Amino acid sequence: MAQAARAPAAAGSAAVAAMVAPQAPEVAAKGFLLVDMTTNQILAERNADAPAEPASLTKLMTAYVVFSALRDRKIALDQKLPVSERAWAERKGGGSLMFIDPKMTPTVDELLKGMIVQSGNDASVALAEGVSGSVESFVALMNKQAEAWGLKNTSFKNVTGLTEAGHRSTARELAVIAQRIIRDFPDRYAYYAIKDYAFNNIKQDNRNLLLRRDPTVDGMKTGFTEAAGYCLIASAQRDFPNGKRRLLSVVLGADSLQSRANESQKLLNWGYATFDAVRLFDGSKPVQTVPVWKGSANEVAIGGVEGAVYVAVPKGEAERLKTSIERIDPLLAPLAKGQRVATLKVTTGAGAVVAELPLVTQAAVPEAGALGRAWDAIRLWIK
């Protein structure tokens, strides 16, 4: 079930902070991170790699594993799941609840709403047992997925986020998990925009206050424990002349429910107001065509990983940007489609690095026959 793929921006791609960037606003929290998902850049951060208790932000990974099971048809949305004594016993732990009991058989869809909208610990346990048979085996899947993404500072001990020794993550790695849900399961991401949900005649509001304050915010997840403080991952998508632009903020360790919402809103507004997303290359066109040696073709087109190439820059800097391409030379076949072979470096007019973005092959190039390889070997030697 674990999927390995290119890590989103928060896992370590170039941040705008590499250049002389605008000063981020003061954020009343232990740590924060702001990611421009359109450009795959980090716009601002503080203590983003500090170990932290993730509280109910844990349920992002719980949801990802459940979404994966739905995709793989191991479970179905309309499937009814039993409620175990263990799930029912979550009401003794003092955390958020969906209020299910062993006499009920809620559907997967109902449990997902209970876990995501109501942040129900009981719903999380019921889903984990329904997918894997036990909470322990489900937690192993969560950690396997984190490992597949290269999240070295994340370790899950439970599916709810309640305080437990060794249960930890960071703002940066929680941002990766959130981005993977948005990118990998865009149809399931709609759960995070639901403002309230009623089950068993008990209606609860989504604790993400920004869903009602800002119409461009469409997710994502809140968390709170005494040890973690008040936490919120929020995502907004706004329309601009050159297309839609999505930002994602992570705020950890705020001192109140209102504060985590206010600080998250502050970050999102600052990011949109302070930076422009500049389209450098159209997704339908290659950035460059480069020579290939010892291959069945003499050249290959290279371009951005996800089509169009964008970069976030402080307002007023767009006209002064410069680009250069650093590539492997000589480029030898065989080459797989999507193989990284170059880096697009974006700098200001003064030479400060704005971003370094991967460029990949847009087609596979098989190895040439023995005669072709020998001829190119001679040409390379002469060259």
Side-chain angles (χ1 to χ4, degrees):
M1 188 175 293
Q3 294 189 342
R6 182 178 67 91
S13 73
V16 173
M19 61 177 288
V20 180
Q23 182 68 39
E26 288 296 322
V27 176
K30 293 178 181 177
F32 69 85
L33 185 80
L34 180 65
V35 181
D36 188 325
M37 289 185 59
T38 302
T39 66
N40 288 325
Q41 287 171 268
I42 299 167
L43 303 184
E45 62 178 279
R46 191 184 77 229
N47 297 333
D49 297 307
E53 288 203 25
S56 282
L57 301 183
T58 297
K59 296 183 178 90
L60 291 170
M61 184 62 96
T62 308
Y64 190 95
V65 176
V66 176
F67 294 157
S68 298
L70 285 166
R71 179 202 59 214
D72 299 339
R73 299 185 178 181
K74 295 181 178 180
I75 55 172
L77 274 180
D78 59 357
Q79 180 178 338
K80 293 184 176 182
L81 296 180
V83 177
S84 68
E85 292 291 335
R86 182 170 183 174
W88 180 81
E90 285 295 323
R91 65 185 57 205
K92 301 175 184 178
S96 303
L97 297 169
M98 180 186 180
F99 296 104
I100 51 178
D101 66 51
K103 297 187 296 294
M104 300 175 178
T105 53
T107 65
V108 171
D109 179 63
E110 289 171 330
L111 289 167
L112 280 169
K113 291 172 182 173
M115 179 179 71
I116 293 170
V117 182
Q118 300 175 331
S119 201
N121 292 343
D122 47 1
S124 303
V125 171
L127 284 166
E129 293 175 333
V131 169
S132 297
S134 73
V135 171
E136 289 73 22
S137 60
F138 189 93
V139 170
L141 291 177
M142 294 168 68
N143 286 314
K144 183 178 180 182
Q145 185 64 79
E147 183 181 358
W149 290 336
L151 307 186
K152 300 184 184 302
N153 298 306
T154 295
S155 176
F156 297 111
K157 300 297 182 181
N158 59 61
V159 299
T160 63
L162 290 177
T163 298
E164 186 171 343
H167 189 87
R168 67 183 189 280
S169 189
T170 67
R172 192 182 310 280
E173 296 192 351
L174 287 166
V176 172
I177 300 169
Q179 289 178 83
R180 293 312 303 239
I181 290 176
I182 296 171
R183 296 185 192 280
D184 296 351
F185 299 106
D187 53 336
R188 308 295 183 201
Y189 177 61
Y191 279 110
Y192 293 92
I194 299 174
K195 295 181 175 66
D196 56 64
Y197 179 58
F199 181 82
N200 195 26
N201 296 318
I202 301 173
K203 181 180 177 181
Q204 298 185 63
D205 289 336
N206 193 316
R207 294 170 178 81
N208 181 0
L209 301 182
L210 297 188
L211 290 176
R212 298 181 185 276
R213 294 183 185 177
D214 183 342
T216 70
V217 172
D218 53 12
M220 188 163 191
K221 189 70 189 74
T222 62
F224 169 76
T225 63
E226 290 293 339
Y230 290 85
C231 307
L232 173 60
I233 294 181
S235 183
Q237 182 169 266
R238 299 183 186 178
D239 293 322
F240 288 86
N242 63 345
K244 294 181 181 297
R245 185 174 170 210
R246 180 174 291 282
L247 300 186
L248 182 131
S249 64
V250 181
V251 170
L252 302 182
D255 60 11
S256 71
L257 185 148
Q258 289 287 345
S259 178
R260 72 184 176 191
N262 294 341
E263 300 308 293
S264 298
Q265 184 78 77
K266 182 192 299 181
L267 272 174
L268 293 170
N269 288 345
W270 175 83
Y272 282 118
T274 309
F275 292 88
D276 288 324
V278 180
R279 185 196 292 256
L280 296 178
F281 298 99
D282 194 300
S284 62
K285 300 176 182 178
V287 173
Q288 191 178 65
T289 299
V290 300
V292 177
W293 299 85
K294 300 184 179 183
S296 59
N298 294 325
E299 59 185 20
V300 67
I302 60 175
V305 174
E306 296 178 348
V309 178
Y310 290 85
V311 64
V313 298
K315 286 189 180 296
E317 290 286 342
E319 298 300 321
R320 294 186 285 273
L321 289 181
K322 296 180 180 180
T323 61
S324 61
I325 295 176
E326 298 175 353
R327 68 172 194 259
I328 299 170
D329 193 20
L331 191 58
L332 304 177
L335 298 170
K337 183 179 179 180
Q339 181 174 333
R340 181 172 182 172
V341 295
T343 298
L344 176 67
K345 182 174 287 188
V346 185
T347 60
T348 64
V353 176
V354 176
E356 295 182 347
L357 307 169
L359 296 177
V360 300
T361 54
Q362 296 188 330
V365 181
E367 197 174 44
L371 184 60
R373 296 198 306 273
W375 174 242
D376 273 1
I378 294 171
R379 294 172 62 208
L380 282 170
W381 182 76
I382 295 172
K383 180 182 177 182

PDB file of all heavy atoms in Angstrom, residues 283-309:
ATOM      1  N   GLY A 283       3.312  23.910 -19.896  1.00  0.00           N
ATOM      2  CA  GLY A 283       3.386  22.468 -19.694  1.00  0.00           C
ATOM      3  C   GLY A 283       3.309  21.652 -20.964  1.00  0.00           C
ATOM      4  O   GLY A 283       3.745  20.502 -21.011  1.00  0.00           O
ATOM      5  N   SER A 284       2.738  22.221 -22.042  1.00  0.00           N
ATOM      6  CA  SER A 284       2.584  21.469 -23.284  1.00  0.00           C
ATOM      7  C   SER A 284       3.831  21.502 -24.157  1.00  0.00           C
ATOM      8  O   SER A 284       3.897  20.827 -25.177  1.00  0.00           O
ATOM      9  CB  SER A 284       1.408  22.028 -24.078  1.00  0.00           C
ATOM     10  OG  SER A 284       1.644  23.384 -24.445  1.00  0.00           O
ATOM     11  N   LYS A 285       4.838  22.278 -23.758  1.00  0.00           N
ATOM     12  CA  LYS A 285       6.045  22.418 -24.568  1.00  0.00           C
ATOM     13  C   LYS A 285       7.279  22.020 -23.769  1.00  0.00           C
ATOM     14  O   LYS A 285       7.367  22.292 -22.578  1.00  0.00           O
ATOM     15  CB  LYS A 285       6.191  23.869 -25.035  1.00  0.00           C
ATOM     16  CG  LYS A 285       5.032  24.362 -25.891  1.00  0.00           C
ATOM     17  CD  LYS A 285       5.205  25.837 -26.233  1.00  0.00           C
ATOM     18  CE  LYS A 285       4.018  26.348 -27.046  1.00  0.00           C
ATOM     19  NZ  LYS A 285       4.130  27.804 -27.349  1.00  0.00           N
ATOM     20  N   PRO A 286       8.246  21.384 -24.423  1.00  0.00           N
ATOM     21  CA  PRO A 286       9.477  21.046 -23.709  1.00  0.00           C
ATOM     22  C   PRO A 286      10.274  22.299 -23.370  1.00  0.00           C
ATOM     23  O   PRO A 286      10.236  23.291 -24.104  1.00  0.00           O
ATOM     24  CB  PRO A 286      10.225  20.160 -24.697  1.00  0.00           C
ATOM     25  CG  PRO A 286       9.698  20.549 -26.040  1.00  0.00           C
ATOM     26  CD  PRO A 286       8.263  20.916 -25.827  1.00  0.00           C
ATOM     27  N   VAL A 287      10.994  22.235 -22.270  1.00  0.00           N
ATOM     28  CA  VAL A 287      11.856  23.347 -21.896  1.00  0.00           C
ATOM     29  C   VAL A 287      13.074  23.400 -22.805  1.00  0.00           C
ATOM     30  O   VAL A 287      13.548  24.469 -23.190  1.00  0.00           O
ATOM     31  CB  VAL A 287      12.292  23.194 -20.426  1.00  0.00           C
ATOM     32  CG1 VAL A 287      13.332  24.237 -20.046  1.00  0.00           C
ATOM     33  CG2 VAL A 287      11.076  23.301 -19.509  1.00  0.00           C
ATOM     34  N   GLN A 288      13.562  22.222 -23.188  1.00  0.00           N
ATOM     35  CA  GLN A 288      14.763  22.146 -24.025  1.00  0.00           C
ATOM     36  C   GLN A 288      14.829  20.760 -24.662  1.00  0.00           C
ATOM     37  O   GLN A 288      14.297  19.787 -24.130  1.00  0.00           O
ATOM     38  CB  GLN A 288      16.004  22.393 -23.165  1.00  0.00           C
ATOM     39  CG  GLN A 288      17.293  22.605 -23.936  1.00  0.00           C
ATOM     40  CD  GLN A 288      18.459  22.893 -23.003  1.00  0.00           C
ATOM     41  OE1 GLN A 288      18.851  22.047 -22.212  1.00  0.00           O
ATOM     42  NE2 GLN A 288      19.020  24.099 -23.080  1.00  0.00           N
ATOM     43  N   THR A 289      15.463  20.668 -25.823  1.00  0.00           N
ATOM     44  CA  THR A 289      15.766  19.381 -26.451  1.00  0.00           C
ATOM     45  C   THR A 289      17.270  19.186 -26.381  1.00  0.00           C
ATOM     46  O   THR A 289      18.044  20.064 -26.808  1.00  0.00           O
ATOM     47  CB  THR A 289      15.286  19.341 -27.912  1.00  0.00           C
ATOM     48  OG1 THR A 289      13.863  19.525 -27.931  1.00  0.00           O
ATOM     49  CG2 THR A 289      15.615  18.006 -28.552  1.00  0.00           C
ATOM     50  N   VAL A 290      17.697  18.051 -25.824  1.00  0.00           N
ATOM     51  CA  VAL A 290      19.115  17.845 -25.555  1.00  0.00           C
ATOM     52  C   VAL A 290      19.627  16.608 -26.288  1.00  0.00           C
ATOM     53  O   VAL A 290      18.869  15.665 -26.555  1.00  0.00           O
ATOM     54  CB  VAL A 290      19.367  17.708 -24.040  1.00  0.00           C
ATOM     55  CG1 VAL A 290      18.928  18.969 -23.313  1.00  0.00           C
ATOM     56  CG2 VAL A 290      18.639  16.511 -23.467  1.00  0.00           C
ATOM     57  N   PRO A 291      20.930  16.578 -26.620  1.00  0.00           N
ATOM     58  CA  PRO A 291      21.495  15.428 -27.329  1.00  0.00           C
ATOM     59  C   PRO A 291      21.616  14.204 -26.425  1.00  0.00           C
ATOM     60  O   PRO A 291      21.852  14.324 -25.217  1.00  0.00           O
ATOM     61  CB  PRO A 291      22.869  15.922 -27.778  1.00  0.00           C
ATOM     62  CG  PRO A 291      23.210  17.027 -26.824  1.00  0.00           C
ATOM     63  CD  PRO A 291      21.916  17.666 -26.466  1.00  0.00           C
ATOM     64  N   VAL A 292      21.451  13.026 -27.009  1.00  0.00           N
ATOM     65  CA  VAL A 292      21.590  11.757 -26.301  1.00  0.00           C
ATOM     66  C   VAL A 292      22.640  10.921 -27.037  1.00  0.00           C
ATOM     67  O   VAL A 292      22.650  10.858 -28.271  1.00  0.00           O
ATOM     68  CB  VAL A 292      20.258  10.986 -26.250  1.00  0.00           C
ATOM     69  CG1 VAL A 292      20.445   9.627 -25.569  1.00  0.00           C
ATOM     70  CG2 VAL A 292      19.191  11.800 -25.536  1.00  0.00           C
ATOM     71  N   TRP A 293      23.499  10.276 -26.289  1.00  0.00           N
ATOM     72  CA  TRP A 293      24.544   9.433 -26.854  1.00  0.00           C
ATOM     73  C   TRP A 293      24.235   7.960 -26.589  1.00  0.00           C
ATOM     74  O   TRP A 293      23.664   7.608 -25.561  1.00  0.00           O
ATOM     75  CB  TRP A 293      25.905   9.784 -26.251  1.00  0.00           C
ATOM     76  CG  TRP A 293      26.315  11.214 -26.517  1.00  0.00           C
ATOM     77  CD1 TRP A 293      25.960  12.305 -25.793  1.00  0.00           C
ATOM     78  CD2 TRP A 293      27.127  11.691 -27.576  1.00  0.00           C
ATOM     79  NE1 TRP A 293      26.509  13.445 -26.321  1.00  0.00           N
ATOM     80  CE2 TRP A 293      27.240  13.090 -27.433  1.00  0.00           C
ATOM     81  CE3 TRP A 293      27.796  11.083 -28.648  1.00  0.00           C
ATOM     82  CZ2 TRP A 293      27.967  13.887 -28.295  1.00  0.00           C
ATOM     83  CZ3 TRP A 293      28.537  11.879 -29.509  1.00  0.00           C
ATOM     84  CH2 TRP A 293      28.617  13.265 -29.337  1.00  0.00           C
ATOM     85  N   LYS A 294      24.613   7.131 -27.553  1.00  0.00           N
ATOM     86  CA  LYS A 294      24.474   5.678 -27.458  1.00  0.00           C
ATOM     87  C   LYS A 294      23.018   5.230 -27.323  1.00  0.00           C
ATOM     88  O   LYS A 294      22.720   4.189 -26.743  1.00  0.00           O
ATOM     89  CB  LYS A 294      25.300   5.116 -26.292  1.00  0.00           C
ATOM     90  CG  LYS A 294      26.789   5.392 -26.403  1.00  0.00           C
ATOM     91  CD  LYS A 294      27.567   4.727 -25.286  1.00  0.00           C
ATOM     92  CE  LYS A 294      29.061   5.002 -25.429  1.00  0.00           C
ATOM     93  NZ  LYS A 294      29.853   4.306 -24.388  1.00  0.00           N
ATOM     94  N   GLY A 295      22.106   6.049 -27.903  1.00  0.00           N
ATOM     95  CA  GLY A 295      20.691   5.729 -27.818  1.00  0.00           C
ATOM     96  C   GLY A 295      20.061   5.486 -29.172  1.00  0.00           C
ATOM     97  O   GLY A 295      20.648   5.794 -30.220  1.00  0.00           O
ATOM     98  N   SER A 296      18.826   4.958 -29.161  1.00  0.00           N
ATOM     99  CA  SER A 296      18.097   4.729 -30.405  1.00  0.00           C
ATOM    100  C   SER A 296      17.627   6.046 -31.016  1.00  0.00           C
ATOM    101  O   SER A 296      17.247   6.094 -32.179  1.00  0.00           O
ATOM    102  CB  SER A 296      16.896   3.819 -30.143  1.00  0.00           C
ATOM    103  OG  SER A 296      16.030   4.414 -29.181  1.00  0.00           O
ATOM    104  N   ALA A 297      17.620   7.114 -30.225  1.00  0.00           N
ATOM    105  CA  ALA A 297      17.344   8.461 -30.721  1.00  0.00           C
ATOM    106  C   ALA A 297      18.524   9.351 -30.370  1.00  0.00           C
ATOM    107  O   ALA A 297      19.240   9.112 -29.386  1.00  0.00           O
ATOM    108  CB  ALA A 297      16.063   9.009 -30.092  1.00  0.00           C
ATOM    109  N   ASN A 298      18.723  10.388 -31.167  1.00  0.00           N
ATOM    110  CA  ASN A 298      19.869  11.272 -30.960  1.00  0.00           C
ATOM    111  C   ASN A 298      19.587  12.424 -30.002  1.00  0.00           C
ATOM    112  O   ASN A 298      20.517  13.148 -29.620  1.00  0.00           O
ATOM    113  CB  ASN A 298      20.345  11.838 -32.307  1.00  0.00           C
ATOM    114  CG  ASN A 298      20.903  10.758 -33.208  1.00  0.00           C
ATOM    115  OD1 ASN A 298      21.517   9.810 -32.734  1.00  0.00           O
ATOM    116  ND2 ASN A 298      20.672  10.895 -34.513  1.00  0.00           N
ATOM    117  N   GLU A 299      18.324  12.607 -29.643  1.00  0.00           N
ATOM    118  CA  GLU A 299      17.975  13.692 -28.736  1.00  0.00           C
ATOM    119  C   GLU A 299      16.688  13.353 -27.994  1.00  0.00           C
ATOM    120  O   GLU A 299      15.949  12.450 -28.385  1.00  0.00           O
ATOM    121  CB  GLU A 299      17.811  15.015 -29.493  1.00  0.00           C
ATOM    122  CG  GLU A 299      16.756  14.979 -30.578  1.00  0.00           C
ATOM    123  CD  GLU A 299      16.707  16.262 -31.388  1.00  0.00           C
ATOM    124  OE1 GLU A 299      17.704  17.013 -31.378  1.00  0.00           O
ATOM    125  OE2 GLU A 299      15.662  16.525 -32.017  1.00  0.00           O
ATOM    126  N   VAL A 300      16.441  14.096 -26.931  1.00  0.00           N
ATOM    127  CA  VAL A 300      15.237  13.891 -26.132  1.00  0.00           C
ATOM    128  C   VAL A 300      14.790  15.232 -25.575  1.00  0.00           C
ATOM    129  O   VAL A 300      15.624  16.089 -25.246  1.00  0.00           O
ATOM    130  CB  VAL A 300      15.477  12.874 -24.994  1.00  0.00           C
ATOM    131  CG1 VAL A 300      16.460  13.430 -23.965  1.00  0.00           C
ATOM    132  CG2 VAL A 300      14.171  12.483 -24.307  1.00  0.00           C
ATOM    133  N   ALA A 301      13.473  15.425 -25.504  1.00  0.00           N
ATOM    134  CA  ALA A 301      12.921  16.644 -24.931  1.00  0.00           C
ATOM    135  C   ALA A 301      12.885  16.509 -23.404  1.00  0.00           C
ATOM    136  O   ALA A 301      12.612  15.434 -22.865  1.00  0.00           O
ATOM    137  CB  ALA A 301      11.524  16.901 -25.467  1.00  0.00           C
ATOM    138  N   ILE A 302      13.178  17.607 -22.717  1.00  0.00           N
ATOM    139  CA  ILE A 302      13.096  17.612 -21.256  1.00  0.00           C
ATOM    140  C   ILE A 302      12.158  18.733 -20.819  1.00  0.00           C
ATOM    141  O   ILE A 302      12.018  19.750 -21.506  1.00  0.00           O
ATOM    142  CB  ILE A 302      14.476  17.781 -20.591  1.00  0.00           C
ATOM    143  CG1 ILE A 302      15.137  19.108 -20.998  1.00  0.00           C
ATOM    144  CG2 ILE A 302      15.373  16.614 -20.943  1.00  0.00           C
ATOM    145  CD1 ILE A 302      16.451  19.374 -20.268  1.00  0.00           C
ATOM    146  N   GLY A 303      11.498  18.519 -19.684  1.00  0.00           N
ATOM    147  CA  GLY A 303      10.554  19.516 -19.190  1.00  0.00           C
ATOM    148  C   GLY A 303      10.311  19.346 -17.706  1.00  0.00           C
ATOM    149  O   GLY A 303      10.992  18.560 -17.034  1.00  0.00           O
ATOM    150  N   GLY A 304       9.332  20.062 -17.191  1.00  0.00           N
ATOM    151  CA  GLY A 304       9.005  20.008 -15.780  1.00  0.00           C
ATOM    152  C   GLY A 304       8.395  18.684 -15.378  1.00  0.00           C
ATOM    153  O   GLY A 304       7.838  17.959 -16.198  1.00  0.00           O
ATOM    154  N   VAL A 305       8.486  18.385 -14.086  1.00  0.00           N
ATOM    155  CA  VAL A 305       7.965  17.123 -13.564  1.00  0.00           C
ATOM    156  C   VAL A 305       6.463  17.040 -13.733  1.00  0.00           C
ATOM    157  O   VAL A 305       5.920  15.990 -14.060  1.00  0.00           O
ATOM    158  CB  VAL A 305       8.342  16.969 -12.077  1.00  0.00           C
ATOM    159  CG1 VAL A 305       7.686  15.731 -11.463  1.00  0.00           C
ATOM    160  CG2 VAL A 305       9.856  16.886 -11.918  1.00  0.00           C
ATOM    161  N   GLU A 306       5.765  18.121 -13.509  1.00  0.00           N
ATOM    162  CA  GLU A 306       4.308  18.112 -13.560  1.00  0.00           C
ATOM    163  C   GLU A 306       3.786  19.074 -14.619  1.00  0.00           C
ATOM    164  O   GLU A 306       2.781  19.745 -14.429  1.00  0.00           O
ATOM    165  CB  GLU A 306       3.731  18.461 -12.184  1.00  0.00           C
ATOM    166  CG  GLU A 306       4.076  17.420 -11.124  1.00  0.00           C
ATOM    167  CD  GLU A 306       3.550  17.791  -9.752  1.00  0.00           C
ATOM    168  OE1 GLU A 306       3.130  18.947  -9.576  1.00  0.00           O
ATOM    169  OE2 GLU A 306       3.556  16.923  -8.870  1.00  0.00           O
ATOM    170  N   GLY A 307       4.440  19.124 -15.761  1.00  0.00           N
ATOM    171  CA  GLY A 307       3.955  19.970 -16.847  1.00  0.00           C
ATOM    172  C   GLY A 307       4.490  21.376 -16.742  1.00  0.00           C
ATOM    173  O   GLY A 307       5.696  21.605 -16.722  1.00  0.00           O
ATOM    174  N   ALA A 308       3.573  22.356 -16.666  1.00  0.00           N
ATOM    175  CA  ALA A 308       3.980  23.751 -16.623  1.00  0.00           C
ATOM    176  C   ALA A 308       4.901  24.012 -15.430  1.00  0.00           C
ATOM    177  O   ALA A 308       4.726  23.446 -14.360  1.00  0.00           O
ATOM    178  CB  ALA A 308       2.751  24.656 -16.538  1.00  0.00           C
ATOM    179  N   VAL A 309       5.890  24.858 -15.641  1.00  0.00           N
ATOM    180  CA  VAL A 309       6.867  25.172 -14.601  1.00  0.00           C
ATOM    181  C   VAL A 309       6.573  26.564 -14.047  1.00  0.00           C
ATOM    182  O   VAL A 309       6.594  27.556 -14.778  1.00  0.00           O
ATOM    183  CB  VAL A 309       8.303  25.114 -15.163  1.00  0.00           C
ATOM    184  CG1 VAL A 309       9.299  25.504 -14.075  1.00  0.00           C
ATOM    185  CG2 VAL A 309       8.610  23.731 -15.698  1.00  0.00           C
TER     186      VAL A 309
END
